[in-house]
Amino acid sequence: MPHSAHEKKRVLTRVRRIKGQADALERALEAGVDCGTVLQQIAAIRGAVNGLMSEVLEAHVREEFGQAARSDAQREARVVELTSLVRSYLK
């Protein structure tokens, strides 16, 4: 989760934009819009979600991994956490 007020505002703006895109997609599907247009909207939403994920992941990495680990166990736990985050992001 972004911790600064500026980062939080940017993330919330992205979420609201995604919500608007999803609402537009729902309206397009209800209206029976052409498949090509629907696919473009879905691709735009996917890109927006990927951008959001990237921004939150970057903030998390900076916040959690920017300081030195206090012990080998903490370092190992951080490596496991970061590896898990990257794996889930790349799916």
Side-chain angles (χ1 to χ4, degrees):
M1 173 67 193
H3 297 283
S4 75
H6 179 69
E7 285 179 338
K8 186 175 181 178
K9 183 178 179 182
R10 271 198 341 244
V11 167
L12 287 172
T13 298
R14 280 182 178 266
V15 168
R16 290 180 185 118
R17 190 176 308 128
I18 292 166
K19 183 179 176 186
Q21 289 173 312
D23 290 344
L25 175 60
E26 181 180 8
R27 288 189 303 273
L29 290 169
E30 287 174 348
V33 173
D34 180 60
C35 288
T37 302
V38 169
L39 288 169
Q40 284 178 331
Q41 287 180 310
I42 293 169
I45 293 169
R46 181 179 58 193
V49 169
N50 285 343
L52 174 64
M53 173 76 88
S54 177
E55 191 165 335
V56 172
L57 180 61
E58 180 183 337
H60 179 69
V61 167
R62 214 177 318 109
E63 182 72 25
E64 293 296 319
F65 302 99
Q67 306 114 21
R70 286 178 237 138
S71 66
D72 288 340
Q74 185 185 35
R75 183 181 306 85
E76 180 61 28
R78 286 178 165 185
V79 168
V80 169
E81 180 186 356
L82 183 58
T83 303
S84 175
L85 285 169
V86 171
R87 276 195 195 123
S88 68
Y89 178 71
L90 294 175
K91 282 185 179 181

